Amino acid sequence: MTANELRIGNYVKFPNVTDEEYSQIEAIGITIDERKMAFGYNVDEIYDFDDIEPIPLTDELFEQFGFEKKVDLFGKPKNTFPLDYIFTKDGLYIHKYTYPENVDVYEFRFPNIDPWIYSPVKLEYAHQLQNLYFALKGEELELTQKPE
């Protein structure tokens, strides 16, 4: 992960000093040398970029960000293609596919555009979803539910 991938307000994982577990925390600042990042509400907590990790997207995380899961896929039986369902929020559509290898893939697609004409945007991490939402909506994507 590099500094140019992150914006202030992105959620990332960083090592917990006491038990070496990872915690979700909100980035509040990036230093001038772009190798350190301040986390939480205490600027004394500064970590090197090598110490932080992106948060992988999950169905639960989409719901925590306030997306609605749409299961009815245009009246087609589920097994006819790998699309599991669609997450929607404020006019955005994120398609979730599960392939036979049990690999989950999340893709942003523009509505009403033939998927054969363009390449969809694949999303793997929470900060990518946050950045896409901000770029398209001009608003921060905040957690509406706290992680369990």
Side-chain angles (χ1 to χ4, degrees):
M1 182 180 314
T2 61
N4 63 356
E5 292 181 58
L6 297 174
R7 296 178 43 258
I8 293 173
N10 283 155
Y11 290 96
V12 295
K13 290 182 182 181
F14 75 102
N16 184 319
V17 177
T18 57
D19 58 10
E20 297 188 14
E21 293 286 321
Y22 282 86
S23 302
Q24 289 183 341
I25 205 77
E26 194 170 340
I28 61 168
I30 300 172
T31 64
I32 296 172
D33 69 4
E34 295 188 356
R35 290 296 309 156
K36 305 277 184 198
M37 179 172 258
F39 292 95
Y41 300 101
N42 180 356
V43 293
D44 294 332
E45 299 176 42
I46 297 179
Y47 295 89
D48 190 86
F49 277 105
D50 296 335
D51 296 333
I52 63 174
E53 295 180 17
I55 300 171
L57 286 173
T58 62
D59 293 1
E60 295 78 20
L61 193 55
F62 274 97
E63 292 172 3
Q64 291 167 356
F65 276 124
F67 281 80
E68 180 183 351
K69 185 191 293 187
K70 300 281 188 177
V71 181
D72 181 19
L73 301 173
F74 321 109
K76 294 184 179 183
K78 182 178 187 248
N79 295 334
T80 58
F81 55 104
L83 178 61
D84 287 345
Y85 36 80
I86 298 171
F87 289 100
T88 65
K89 180 176 180 163
D90 301 329
L92 296 182
Y93 297 87
I94 308 294
H95 297 232
K96 182 201 176 185
Y97 301 88
T98 300
Y99 290 94
E101 308 81 36
N102 289 325
V103 175
D104 291 340
V105 176
Y106 299 96
E107 294 180 344
F108 166 75
R109 293 176 180 265
F110 290 96
N112 302 321
I113 296 179
D114 186 338
W116 299 107
I117 297 175
Y118 76 103
S119 297
V121 177
K122 289 187 176 152
L123 301 169
E124 295 182 67
Y125 302 111
H127 71 276
Q128 293 171 330
L129 178 62
Q130 288 180 281
N131 295 347
L132 176 69
Y133 188 88
F134 183 81
L136 295 174
K137 294 304 215 176
E139 300 172 6
E140 296 294 339
L141 181 60
E142 300 286 342
L143 291 173
T144 58
Q145 304 171 34
K146 292 293 179 192
E148 296 177 4

